[in-house]
Every structure is written in C-alpha cells, then in structure tokens.
Amino acid sequence: MSNREIKLERNIPVFDDADVIVVGGGPAGTAAAISAARSGQKTILLEQSGQLGGMGTLGNVSVFMGVGNVTGIYREFISEFLPEALPSSHHESIWPQYSPFELRHYLNGKLEKEGVEVYYHVSFVSSIMEDNRVVGVVANTREGLRAFGGRVVIDCTGDARVAQDSGVPTRAGRDEDGLTQPMTLMFMMQDTGKPVRQKLPEDCYKYDSIPDLPQGRHLYWGGMGDGTLLVNMTRVKGNGAKIKDINYAEKESLRQALSVANYLQRTNHPNHILSHVPGQVGVRETNQIEGRYTLTEDDLTSGRRFEDVVAQTNYEIDIHNPTGGTNTDERKLDGYDIPYRCMLPQNVEGLIVAGRSISATHVAMSSMRVQATCYALGQAAGVAAAIAIESNVPVSDISTTALHERLAGQGVVFVNKVLAQ
C-alpha cells in the first residue's frame, strides 16, 4: 500500500436536497427512509447497488432470524410480504425463509408508495460538514460526483462510512486483536427430483466429512416448500471493510461455495443443483462507532432495560470464530434493550447511525446485527430525525417521550419498557 496522498479540490453540483438523507438501502436504511417520510419529511435514500434489502437480497441472507418480537415496520413488512409467517402476538419469534428476488421487488414498490426518492448506483464519497455538523454528502453516481444536501443524515452503510468521514471515532472487532467475525457466501440449491451431474473445479476443495467443512457443521434451511435449499456453510477470515480482505473473500468464498455444493451432492443431497450464488459475499462485522453509549455483553446477559429504548431483541450471542476456525460461540439470551444513545456519535451533530455499525462491543454486536433488529433501529432513526427537524433541536436533544409516542404511532410495541423520568 502506498503512503502517498493527493489533495482533491472540486466544485460538485448539488443534485438534490432533502430534509433527511439516508445512506444505504439495507434493512436499517429502508426502515429509516419509510419512518422519516411518514413523519412528513422529504426523504432521499442513496443505495450503492441496484437493489434494496442489503445482505438480505445482495448477499442472499434470505431468512429472518428470530428476535423475540415482530413489531413496527418489520411486522408490517411480514404482514404484507410474508403474511403466512405473521405471529398473533408482537412478542413471538419467527424464522421465515423468503425469496431475495421477491423481497427486492417488494421493497422497490414499498418505498415508492411511501414517497421516498431512491437513488440506485449511488455510493458515498464524502460528508459535507459545517463545523461539527453533517449537512449533506457527496456521492459517486452514473453522472459523476454529485452532492446531496440534508438537515439530518442517517448512516446505514453498515460500515459507518459516513460517520468515519465525519470524524467519528470507530473501532473494529475483538479488543485483544481487532479480528472481526468471518464472511460467508450463502447460496441456494434446488431439488430436481433426480440425480444431478456433479462438478468440482480443479482449484476447489474436496470435502469428505463434516469436520472438513469451513464451519465444521451442516447449516442450511429447506423451509420454502419448493425444494429450495438455503446454504450457510462457507467461512472466510477477514474484515469486510478492508480492501485486501474483501478482495480475497470474494474469490475464496466462491471457491468454498462450489466445494460445499459438491460435498452436499455427494452426501445427502444428490438431486440438488447449484441454483443461485449472490453477487457478493456476506459481511457480518466491520466498524462500530464510538457513541454516547456502548452496548456491552453485560447489557445483553443481564437483560438490561433503558429509558431511551429504540429496539428490543433476544437473538442469541452468535460469534462465528474470527480466526476462521470452525467453532461458533452461541449463547441464548432472555431479551434486552438497545438505547437510542448507541446511534448517536460523540461530538458530531446532524448524524444518526443505524444498523450493525452502532456503538456496541464485539460480543454485543454479534447479537444485535441481524436484519429484524436493524429494521427496528432504522425505524427509530427515521423518527428521531423527523422529531429533531420539527423541534429544531439537535438529534441528541430530542424528547424520548416524543420518540416513543411517534414509534407507537407507527406500530412499535415494547415489552417491559422503563418509563422516562
């Protein structure tokens, strides 16, 4: 890597202005954009790919992990997109599989109906700052660099890209060595009803037994009822926010996927063909902001409740071995709160961070990172941004009571909520 630097000075045309700019169209970003738009704010969502849904569509992570509650916008999505999976109570877990292609189509229509302006193939380049306040972003588009001005920016990049560029300190991985959870390429296989031709490229691996496999286990779902098998059995060490790590992971994860598919064909799925490999590897963990509160392992294991709760979950501590080894640290939890302060960077205004890059330790992040929780965090971020704009106060000074009232109006139900003083 070169140590040289260049200085870039450009006049960038402003393409659009809005009240709320959401950067990243994954679960957190889609929910943030919807909740902000429903609160009467002009909302723009910038997505670097050609589809919404984040890892749920781009990475084929096409199963919603159980989080102990189905509430708010997430519940609304389930009721419209997967009505057969909708539980009778808000506080029940569901683990539904879904088609990533159908979710992509659903989200396109949903955000259009909500009045959100979605810009595809628009990737974040730089924050626009006025003193310590974020007032917009510069992005790379198909027409070149363009600026987007906003009153509040919500960072839903998953890597804390906007926060980092705005001067927010971040950390990554375990305290002792900085290693993050490994990456995984999830793929699909399809039952053809008859034995299929097996193929293993020369540079792939011939796995002969379960201990040989990258995760040392079988992990797949077959709940679609149509012969589809969703396979989560690859594992690649590295930090998905690092250039060289992601370069290696894209090649190695595909090599492993082809090898695992061949293994399954030779063992217990001889009738299944490899039917879908997504366009990019799935990334579990990269950067966490240093926020006004940091969610910890003790918060999770003690079931801590917070006055400024914005999301609740009981999804397990789920740490895939950062060294790339085959073991996984899985520990059940009874349930805990995530406070709003985890989404607020220190010393930077006009910015809210939602999704897996909130302020959380390595262990705490392993539980709060799943899609359903990110939808909840995004919804809270969008509501908070709207309240800050309406009240003409910093996002850090909004009323917790107003936040909870607005979330309740958007269908969010909390259990065991601690009342604000």
Side-chain angles (χ1 to χ4, degrees), residues 298-407:
D298 183 65
D299 292 332
L300 275 58
T301 57
S302 67
R304 188 168 180 189
R305 303 297 176 182
F306 295 91
E307 291 183 0
D308 59 337
V309 56
V310 288
Q312 296 179 322
T313 178
N314 66 0
Y315 184 68
E316 65 187 13
I317 291 172
D318 180 20
I319 307 174
H320 294 241
N321 191 336
T323 69
T326 57
N327 62 303
T328 301
D329 179 3
E330 296 173 306
R331 288 177 270 161
K332 299 296 184 182
L333 298 169
D334 292 328
Y336 62 92
D337 291 354
I338 302 174
Y340 176 54
R341 286 164 292 160
C342 288
M343 300 195 294
L344 298 177
Q346 296 181 12
N347 306 317
V348 172
E349 291 295 344
L351 178 67
I352 305 173
V353 178
R356 62 177 169 85
S357 57
I358 65 169
S359 185
T361 65
H362 169 73
V363 174
M365 182 271 173
S366 75
S367 165
M368 56 67 46
R369 64 187 169 85
V370 297
Q371 294 179 74
T373 306
C374 288
Y375 280 122
L377 293 169
Q379 182 172 5
V383 166
I387 292 173
I389 292 169
E390 294 165 7
S391 306
N392 195 30
V393 299
V395 293
S396 56
D397 291 344
I398 66 168
S399 162
T400 298
T401 299
L403 176 61
H404 287 163
E405 288 177 351
R406 183 74 60 86
L407 286 172

Side-chain angles (χ1 to χ4, degrees), residues 35 38 69-76 90-91 309-312 375-380 383 403-415 417:
S35 63
R38 285 184 179 176
N69 61 339
V70 181
T71 191
I73 285 176
Y74 175 56
R75 185 178 184 86
E76 183 178 324
H90 284 75
H91 304 294
V309 56
V310 288
Q312 296 179 322
Y375 280 122
L377 293 169
Q379 182 172 5
V383 166
L403 176 61
H404 287 163
E405 288 177 351
R406 183 74 60 86
L407 286 172
Q410 292 191 3
V412 175
V413 176
F414 294 123
V415 64
K417 187 166 78 71

Side-chain angles (χ1 to χ4, degrees), residues 266-289:
R266 287 186 287 108
T267 54
N268 55 354
H269 289 85
N271 295 346
H272 280 70
I273 59 168
L274 184 62
S275 57
H276 173 61
V277 179
Q280 66 182 74
V281 70
V283 177
R284 290 184 177 88
E285 177 184 15
T286 55
N287 303 312
Q288 311 301 134
I289 66 164

